[in-house]
């Protein structure tokens, strides 16, 4: 029994670590390219949302093994919302712009959650199959583009474009991020192994320590 408690604590700690990392990463992708001053409220929103969904899923879900975490599928939608609001305020930071962006994200998230809850209650999840493949493919392609460009921008601290490939400093800055991405891809091949995620995190930390010495 005691070993079960220890295993649960370790699993919960790893899940919390991954969720925090995902929340911070999503905030960086959304706000780093718009205005750095939006990063703090953005991270706060996503961390609070992660806490609420985690507690809600654990306490009210009918599945005991449910794990709730931030989803990156809505990043293109949120990116358009954030960019549009920021441009409407003259592409300059202000308290009004920050408050509007926060409220817009909260309202969008609430309505999306209610819509999904309604689909689940009415057992209409199969309607997703009627979405045309080009629409789904284009949506996921947009997610991939935002992830790659946003990730390289956050890792390098500058706008990532094709010309950046010839910059040695840019390559040096993004190398750890690229290595981590490759490790995560390889780790998915061994997802049945309970040590895959801790191993990837440990190797990434060790690589970063050696790389930046």
């Amino acid at each position: 029994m005691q070993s079960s408690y220890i295993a649960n604590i370790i699993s919960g700690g790893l899940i919390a670590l991954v969720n925090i990392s995902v929340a911070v990463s999503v905030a960086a992708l959304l706000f780093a390219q718009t205005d750095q001053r939006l990063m703090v409220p953005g991270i706060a929103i996503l961390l609070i949302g992660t806490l609420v969904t985690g507690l809600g899923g654990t306490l009210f879900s009918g599945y005991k093994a449910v794990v709730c975490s931030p989803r990156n599928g809505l990043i293109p939608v949120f990116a358009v919302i954030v960019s549009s609001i920021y441009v409407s305020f003259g592409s300059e930071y202000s308290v009004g712009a920050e408050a509007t962006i926060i409220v817009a994200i909260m309202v969008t998230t609430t309505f999306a959650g209610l819509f999904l809850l309604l689909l689940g209650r009415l057992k209409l999840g199969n309607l997703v199959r009627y979405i045309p493949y080009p629409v789904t493919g284009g949506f996921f392609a947009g997610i991939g583009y935002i992830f790659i460009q946003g990730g390289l921008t956050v890792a390098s601290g500058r706008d990532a474009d094709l010309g950046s490939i010839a910059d040695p400093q840019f390559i040096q800055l993004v190398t750890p991020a690229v290595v981590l991405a490759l490790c995560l891809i390889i780790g998915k091949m061994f997802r049945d192994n309970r040590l895959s995620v801790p191993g990837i995190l440990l190797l990434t930390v060790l690589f970063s320590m050696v790389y930046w010495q």
Side-chain angles (χ1 to χ4, degrees):
M1 183 66 69
Q2 185 176 1
S3 61
S4 177
Y5 286 144
I6 295 176
N8 289 335
I9 292 174
I10 294 176
S11 300
L14 290 174
I15 292 172
L17 180 61
V18 171
N19 284 349
I20 291 173
S21 302
V22 172
V24 174
S25 300
V26 170
L29 290 174
L30 283 175
F31 302 108
Q33 300 182 69
T34 304
D35 195 307
Q36 294 288 343
R37 287 167 290 188
L38 295 173
M39 281 285 294
V40 174
I43 292 175
I45 291 173
L46 285 162
L47 288 178
I48 293 173
T50 301
L51 176 62
V52 172
T53 54
L55 290 176
T58 302
L59 297 176
F60 301 108
S61 175
Y63 299 95
K64 295 183 179 180
V66 67
V67 177
C68 299
S69 61
R71 301 298 300 171
N72 49 33
L74 289 177
I75 284 183
V77 178
F78 286 139
V80 172
I81 293 174
V82 172
S83 300
S84 300
I85 294 175
Y86 190 72
V87 170
S88 68
F89 278 84
S91 297
E92 295 182 357
Y93 174 82
S94 65
V95 177
E98 178 182 319
T100 304
I101 290 173
I102 292 175
V103 172
I105 292 176
M106 293 174 61
V107 172
T108 304
T109 303
T110 301
F111 276 101
L114 292 175
F115 178 72
L116 293 175
L117 179 62
L118 180 63
L119 286 181
R121 290 294 184 182
L122 298 179
K123 301 185 184 302
L124 297 176
N126 289 332
L127 293 177
V128 177
R129 294 186 296 178
Y130 295 98
I131 299 177
Y133 179 77
V135 175
T136 306
F139 183 78
F140 283 106
I143 294 176
Y145 173 77
I146 291 176
F147 277 178
I148 294 175
Q149 185 188 38
L152 294 178
T153 299
V154 172
S156 63
R158 50 176 285 187
D159 291 335
D161 51 32
L162 293 178
S164 302
I165 300 177
D167 187 353
Q169 184 179 8
F170 176 82
I171 298 299
Q172 181 183 11
L173 291 173
V174 302
T175 296
V178 174
V179 171
L180 174 59
L182 293 176
C183 289
L184 291 175
I185 293 174
I186 296 174
K188 283 190 174 182
M189 302 178 184
F190 305 95
R191 57 188 175 185
D192 293 334
N193 191 327
R194 68 181 66 180
L195 298 178
S196 60
V197 174
I200 290 172
L201 296 176
L202 179 60
L203 290 176
T204 303
V205 171
L206 293 176
F207 174 80
S208 299
M209 293 174 62
V210 174
Y211 184 81
W212 292 113
Q213 280 185 349

